[in-house]
Amino acid sequence: MPRRQLVMIAVVLGAIIAAVVLLWRGEGLAGGFVLVALAAVVLLQMDARRRLSDLAADVRRNRAELRTAAARTSTQEAELKELGRQLNVSARAAGQARDHTAAAMDRFDQLEGLLAQQAEDAEKHRRTFHRDRRMLNRDHLTQIQALLQLHEQFAPRAPLPAVAGWAMEPTALVELVNVVARLRPQLVLECGSGTSTLWIAYALRRNGSGRVVALDHDVEYAHATAQVITEHGLSEWAHVRHAPLTPTDTPRGSMPWYSTDLTELTGIELLVVDGPPKATGELARYPALPMLADRLAPDARILFDDAHRPDEVRALDAWRETYPLRVEHKLAGRALLLRFDDPTAAAATS
């Protein structure tokens, strides 16, 4: 039994015994009541102290529990902060991953579009290649047919020069000899020499009259063409001049042009513009008409080769701004046959 309860029982028993003693001695009931009251007060105090002691113990226990709870709360707060930090890190990582994923998707879309475009371009190139190959095959056949026509019209007495590089195409050469046969010019001036010079000479010899003078800025090329003319026995019909390119004043400023004496070359009925080469300068063939307009015969014809190239198109447009030209015929190949209608008026406007 707890000590406190023993003390309370002892107090009660003591008070009862004391009250009995007082009654036995004849002290009356008042003393007994006093002792009982004192015992009750003592018991109440002891109970109050017990309750206060229990309350203090509860308070101490609650404090301990509060401290434990506070420590646990602090730990949980720290864990929550760490969790929050980890969540922030995860959120940033997720955001970066999302951004990387979006960038990767954009890049994938770009690559997909690029591959689609490349596939489309490849298909276009394939179709273009097959079309160009068919056209090239047809063009080769056409050029071979043109060469056969030239051989049927003439009987060359020596090997022919190669028809390649800067030379006129066989189709244009056929057109050229037909123009010579139709116009029967007495004087042909050719800017640039080569295979065309040879066939013009053959056409003039077939006509029975006329001569062609060919200008060439390249001394080796001029010599080679002259040698071919001699080998074919056409020196009476053709003459090749080496004429270096020198700066020459034109309506569009200084440009390189053939340097040679043209005094005796008047009444040119057919002007063949097949030089200088494009590599010698911009609008390389433009000076031909400004330099030779006053030497052309009435109604002279101009055969303008490579008329499809941008530089030659610009040169032709520049001529038309000053001189009365009109396209008389689009020749097979890449040449135009122009008619110079009024050389006197052209000279005046220049």
Side-chain angles (χ1 to χ4, degrees):
M1 182 177 294
R3 180 181 178 183
R4 183 176 300 166
Q5 292 180 358
L6 292 175
V7 172
M8 291 176 66
I9 292 171
V11 170
V12 170
L13 288 176
I16 293 171
I17 292 170
V20 170
V21 172
L22 288 175
L23 289 173
W24 178 72
R25 289 178 66 179
E27 295 293 333
L29 294 174
F33 285 131
V34 170
L35 288 174
V36 173
L38 288 173
V41 170
V42 170
L43 290 175
L44 289 174
Q45 287 181 346
M46 290 180 67
D47 184 64
R49 286 180 180 179
R50 181 186 63 78
R51 291 179 181 276
L52 288 174
S53 177
D54 292 343
L55 182 59
D58 290 340
V59 169
R60 286 193 299 273
R61 186 171 56 255
N62 290 336
R63 285 180 179 176
E65 291 176 355
L66 287 174
R67 284 194 295 271
T68 302
R72 187 181 298 113
T73 301
S74 178
T75 302
Q76 290 175 347
E77 288 179 352
E79 292 176 352
L80 287 174
K81 288 182 180 178
E82 178 62 20
L83 181 60
R85 186 187 66 80
Q86 293 178 359
L87 287 174
N88 288 334
V89 172
S90 299
R92 287 196 296 269
Q96 293 175 353
R98 184 175 61 253
D99 293 341
H100 289 319
T101 302
M105 291 300 295
D106 290 342
R107 181 58 179 165
F108 177 78
D109 291 340
Q110 292 175 0
L111 290 175
E112 189 177 28
L114 181 61
L115 288 174
Q117 183 62 45
Q118 289 178 345
E120 183 179 351
D121 292 343
E123 178 61 21
K124 288 181 180 178
H125 290 318
R126 186 188 67 81
R127 291 196 298 267
T128 301
F129 171 76
H130 288 298
R131 184 193 64 213
D132 291 345
R133 186 178 65 178
R134 290 192 299 270
M135 293 179 62
L136 187 61
N137 290 337
R138 289 197 297 268
D139 185 64
H140 282 167
L141 290 175
T142 302
Q143 301 303 335
I144 291 172
Q145 291 173 345
L147 279 175
L148 292 175
Q149 290 180 33
L150 288 173
H151 282 272
E152 289 175 358
Q153 293 185 52
F154 307 99
R157 54 180 291 181
L160 295 171
V163 182
W166 291 343
M168 280 189 183
E169 294 178 342
T171 50
L173 292 173
V174 171
E175 294 272 20
L176 176 58
V177 297
N178 289 338
V179 167
V180 173
R182 177 170 59 85
L183 298 179
R184 306 185 69 84
Q186 295 305 300
L187 178 58
V188 180
L189 179 62
E190 186 179 20
C191 298
S193 71
T195 305
S196 55
T197 310
L198 175 68
W199 292 110
I200 292 172
Y202 266 119
L204 291 173
R205 188 178 70 174
R206 184 176 61 182
N207 288 347
S209 63
R211 66 184 178 121
V212 55
V213 177
L215 310 178
D216 205 304
H217 73 288
D218 188 308
V219 62
E220 294 183 1
Y221 209 78
H223 176 72
T225 303
Q227 185 175 355
V228 169
I229 293 297
T230 300
E231 291 174 353
H232 284 259
L234 297 171
S235 299
E236 179 183 351
W237 312 96
H239 176 63
V240 181
R241 291 187 185 181
H242 173 230
L245 299 178
T246 60
T248 305
D249 291 333
T250 74
R252 290 181 174 262
S254 179
M255 292 184 176
W257 186 248
Y258 299 107
S259 176
T260 186
D261 183 10
L262 301 176
T263 303
E264 83 284 6
L265 299 179
T266 57
I268 300 170
E269 296 169 89
L270 177 60
L271 172 62
V272 180
V273 182
D274 193 22
K278 179 182 178 181
T280 60
E282 186 178 4
L283 293 177
R285 298 180 182 179
Y286 165 76
L289 204 50
M291 295 298 102
L292 300 170
D294 59 349
R295 298 185 177 277
L296 297 179
D299 296 330
R301 304 309 198 278
I302 302 172
L303 193 146
F304 192 47
D305 196 26
D306 300 316
H308 66 295
R309 299 191 310 200
D311 215 46
E312 277 64 26
V313 171
R314 292 173 55 202
L316 181 57
D317 289 341
W319 286 353
R320 285 172 166 168
E321 292 177 3
T322 307
Y323 304 98
L325 291 175
R326 61 183 176 89
V327 176
E328 184 171 274
H329 185 50
K330 291 183 179 180
L331 306 180
R334 304 167 297 184
L336 289 177
L337 184 63
L338 308 173
R339 181 165 182 158
F340 193 66
D341 288 329
D342 190 357
T344 304
T349 58
S350 63

